[in-house]
Amino acid sequence: MSTPDMSPIYIDYLNRLDIDELKMTDAEIIGAIESSLAEQGRGETVIEPRVHLEPGAARGHFNVLRGSIGGAIDSAGVKVVGDFVDNYKINFPSEFGVLLLLNRHNGAPKAILDASGITDMRTGAVTAVGAKYLANKNSKILGHIGARGTAYWNVRLLDSLFDFDEIRVHSRRPESYEPFARRLEQDLGKPVIATTDWQSCVEGADIVVEASRLDAPTPMLRTEWIKPGALVMPYGTMSAVELSLTDIMSKLVVDDWGQCKGGKFGSLRAHVEAGKLSEQTLYAEMGQIVAGLKPGRETETETILFWHRGLSLSDIALGHAMLEKAKRLDIGQRLRFA
């Protein structure tokens, strides 16, 4: 029932085809995420730790992310994303997502967006922004574990910043990592090496990304393979790293400590539980570094770890940037809500 004399409320709607039509550039995606991280570092945001729903019907769960950003974005948002391991068997992506943007002053809905692509893009952009501030500037070798949706944007956006001489990729299934390497070769215009094992992928790499899809915590990435001075960015749902990984790090950085210290999932969950990653050992949140409140990499010899769980702020910021571009290009639909 509508309130008498209430002004009409409309919501903007962008489906997956609309988002594809936007053709967001690498710089636009990275810029949106970098700005949101800076706002987080300045304390202009609100983040609620993600919660999970495990429906029990399949091997998978839903992540529910919530947050609010001030400034030019001036929106609250909730994203629900499903993460289902076996979706490849029915030719579905492992993740589907929906983003709801809301007026943070009165609660009215503002927009609904397909968030599957947003999730992939913003995750890759957080990885890229992390490397921008934490990797050696002359990094030339990338080792990437995992070939799921976010993996493509990790590699693409990292390469846009570093123009790697060598890109190595690997995942558990050859039918996954071979096509992944070929797709990257076509889009990046350079050779991409599909390795047959973890060690040859990550050993000696300047930047290591671990985005694996394990069923249970399993130490697949060995600490001894990490090159001194490297940047390591693990963010798989299940831990694939050894407990000793944090011992060799000069700096431990996360996207949001509130999220990283709680919950049952995450690549460094065991390290939190063992006290190896704590408020005492944590160097900074990424937003503090982007905002200039703490320095990022200070020497070439620092070996640095950046663990990102995924921020609702990133979804809100990229969703906002997409809506602004959609308005300029007259893309999407406007729906009457009330």
Side-chain angles (χ1 to χ4, degrees):
M1 181 181 296
S2 61
T3 303
D5 302 323
M6 183 179 74
S7 300
I9 296 175
Y10 294 92
I11 59 174
D12 294 311
Y13 175 63
L14 295 179
N15 62 29
R16 182 168 299 192
L17 300 177
D18 296 327
I19 289 174
D20 288 344
E21 190 178 353
L22 290 176
K23 294 181 171 57
M24 297 292 289
T25 67
D26 296 347
E28 287 172 334
I29 297 167
I30 292 174
I33 300 311
E34 190 168 8
S35 296
S36 70
L37 285 167
E39 291 205 42
Q40 178 196 6
R42 292 191 291 264
E44 299 169 359
T45 61
V46 175
I47 306 172
E48 292 290 342
R50 70 173 61 197
V51 293
H52 305 284
L53 169 63
E54 297 180 73
R59 290 199 306 160
H61 65 278
F62 294 97
N63 298 307
V64 183
L65 294 82
R66 306 155 292 165
S68 174
I69 305 180
I73 295 175
D74 199 23
S75 293
V78 178
K79 187 183 77 168
V80 180
V81 56
D83 189 349
F84 287 78
V85 175
D86 296 321
N87 274 10
Y88 72 92
K89 297 177 182 178
I90 56 174
N91 200 30
F92 272 13
S94 60
E95 296 176 346
F96 285 105
V98 177
L99 173 65
L100 172 65
L101 296 183
L102 304 145
N103 186 309
R104 70 191 193 106
H105 302 280
N106 58 32
K110 295 170 63 175
I112 297 174
L113 298 87
D114 172 84
S116 305
I118 289 175
T119 299
D120 294 346
M121 291 177 190
R122 66 86 154 140
T123 302
V126 173
T127 301
V129 172
K132 177 179 177 179
Y133 289 86
L134 300 176
N136 273 306
K137 300 303 181 186
N138 62 347
S139 295
K140 289 302 177 185
I141 301 175
L142 170 65
H144 191 290
I145 300 292
R148 55 173 161 159
T150 58
Y152 171 83
W153 288 99
N154 284 334
V155 178
R156 171 173 162 172
L157 296 178
L158 282 167
D159 191 61
S160 76
L161 297 180
F162 291 91
D163 189 20
F164 296 110
D165 291 340
E166 185 174 311
I167 297 174
R168 312 169 188 160
V169 299
H170 178 70
S171 70
R172 290 189 300 164
R173 297 180 293 117
E175 63 270 26
S176 175
Y177 64 72
E178 286 287 356
F180 180 51
R182 303 295 80 79
R183 178 189 177 194
L184 287 169
E185 283 187 333
Q186 181 176 349
D187 290 357
L188 301 181
K190 61 174 60 177
V192 174
I193 301 168
T195 71
T196 58
D197 62 274
W198 286 60
Q199 182 173 359
S200 59
C201 183
V202 305
E203 191 169 36
D206 300 303
I207 298 175
V208 174
V209 181
E210 183 274 302
S212 59
R213 301 280 299 169
L214 301 181
D215 298 325
T218 311
M220 302 289 291
L221 193 157
R222 301 297 179 184
T223 303
E224 65 188 40
W225 299 338
I226 301 303
K227 171 184 177 179
L231 169 64
V232 182
M233 295 183 281
Y235 71 87
T237 301
M238 297 293 179
S239 177
V241 301
E242 294 184 298
L243 202 58
S244 59
L245 181 65
T246 52
D247 297 341
I248 68 168
M249 296 299 164
S250 309
K251 290 174 178 172
L252 302 176
V253 180
V254 301
D255 56 355
D256 176 62
W257 176 238
Q259 288 196 123
C260 290
K261 69 181 179 180
K264 62 182 289 186
F265 298 113
S267 56
L268 266 69
R269 176 61 44 226
H271 300 75
V272 174
E273 293 171 354
K276 288 179 173 288
L277 176 56
S278 65
E279 292 184 37
Q280 288 70 42
T281 63
L282 180 68
Y283 171 70
E285 292 183 334
M286 195 67 229
Q288 295 173 306
I289 295 172
V290 176
L293 303 178
K294 287 189 174 183
R297 176 173 289 273
E298 296 175 274
T299 70
E300 291 188 359
T301 58
E302 288 179 304
T303 307
I304 300 177
L305 183 143
F306 174 39
W307 176 29
H308 55 94
R309 296 277 341 261
L311 292 174
S312 57
L313 307 180
S314 301
D315 300 303
I316 296 167
L318 186 52
H320 174 79
M322 288 178 170
L323 286 167
E324 293 298 299
K325 188 170 186 178
K327 290 174 185 176
R328 296 195 302 270
L329 300 178
D330 195 24
I331 293 173
Q333 303 171 55
R334 201 166 189 232
L335 309 176
R336 177 75 182 262
F337 178 79

